[in-house]
Amino acid sequence: MKCSEYLWKYLDLQARMGKTGGWSPERTQGELRLAMEANGDTRIVSDTTGEAMTEREARSVLGRNEKALWDAYRDGSRARFALIVTGQQVRDDAYHAEQAEQEGEGK
């Protein structure tokens, strides 16, 4: 599943369970992982490159854009939500490409 879809489901679960007892972020992550396993969809992939991502990497995208992502989620705007996630991943991809280039040049 794409990172944007994973994060939407994460926020959706967090929002729904927050009303009935306030799950911790760790519990929400664990419950989402169980749901993904039950559906046979255990991989998270980058929206930009399609490369596999860890839950930690996906949650990092959330952490750096949390307010904007919550705003898009509350507005029900999946398109804006995906655009925010994709924008962060484009910036991350550029950063990693630059790092690889510098390592290749021996800097």
Side-chain angles (χ1 to χ4, degrees):
M1 116 179 15
K2 287 185 176 182
C3 181
S4 58
E5 182 181 354
Y6 170 83
L7 292 176
W8 182 275
K9 288 181 178 187
Y10 175 84
L11 292 187
D12 187 56
L13 192 56
Q14 187 75 48
R16 288 186 291 124
M17 293 302 113
K19 295 177 182 176
T20 61
W23 283 0
S24 69
E26 294 80 13
R27 175 147 186 213
T28 303
Q29 183 177 351
E31 294 292 335
L32 180 53
R33 185 179 315 117
L34 290 174
M36 289 169 63
E37 289 171 358
N39 290 331
D41 191 9
T42 58
R43 290 188 64 217
I44 303 167
V45 297
S46 169
D47 289 42
T48 57
T49 66
E51 292 179 12
M53 298 178 70
T54 65
E55 288 175 294
R56 182 179 180 168
E57 290 168 329
R59 296 273 315 278
S60 175
V61 172
L62 171 64
R64 291 176 286 154
N65 299 277
E66 193 157 4
K67 182 183 181 329
L69 289 171
W70 272 110
D71 288 346
Y73 171 80
R74 287 186 187 110
D75 290 344
S77 179
R78 284 185 178 255
R80 190 170 84 222
F81 190 95
L83 186 62
I84 295 164
V85 171
T86 301
Q88 182 62 60
Q89 291 178 326
V90 165
R91 291 186 297 277
D92 291 348
D93 295 344
Y95 171 80
H96 292 299
E98 183 179 315
Q99 293 299 101
E101 185 178 312
Q102 287 179 1
E103 287 176 9
E105 294 175 359
K107 290 184 179 180

